[in-house]
Amino acid sequence: MANKYSKANFVNKDEDNKPKQTESLGGMKEYEKKRQRLNTGAKIMAILVALAMIVTAFLSSGVFFIN
């Protein structure tokens, strides 16, 4: 039994009447292109974060060696 806050109480009949949209081959190509771009961006960000960590480690060790 659903409580008064449950989504089961609200039935949307409009979704049942809508025609089903099938994803075309062009849509899949767009998705693959977008995914490729995200993968490239993630690789660049990972390299930048690694470089920032290395630079920070050398700077902090240099400060301790000076003292």
Side-chain angles (χ1 to χ4, degrees), residues 5-58:
Y5 300 110
S6 177
K7 290 183 180 180
N9 292 335
F10 304 104
V11 178
N12 192 356
K13 296 290 182 187
D14 292 337
E15 289 182 9
D16 296 335
N17 296 335
K18 287 183 184 176
K20 300 285 183 187
Q21 292 180 351
T22 58
E23 190 169 330
S24 65
L25 187 60
M28 198 62 177
K29 297 271 186 198
E30 297 269 332
Y31 173 76
E32 288 174 358
K33 192 184 295 186
K34 184 179 177 183
R35 184 72 181 195
Q36 180 75 21
R37 217 173 346 165
L38 287 175
N39 286 341
T40 305
K43 288 177 186 175
I44 292 171
M45 288 299 291
I47 291 170
L48 289 176
V49 168
L51 288 175
M53 290 171 59
I54 291 169
V55 167
T56 303
F58 278 111

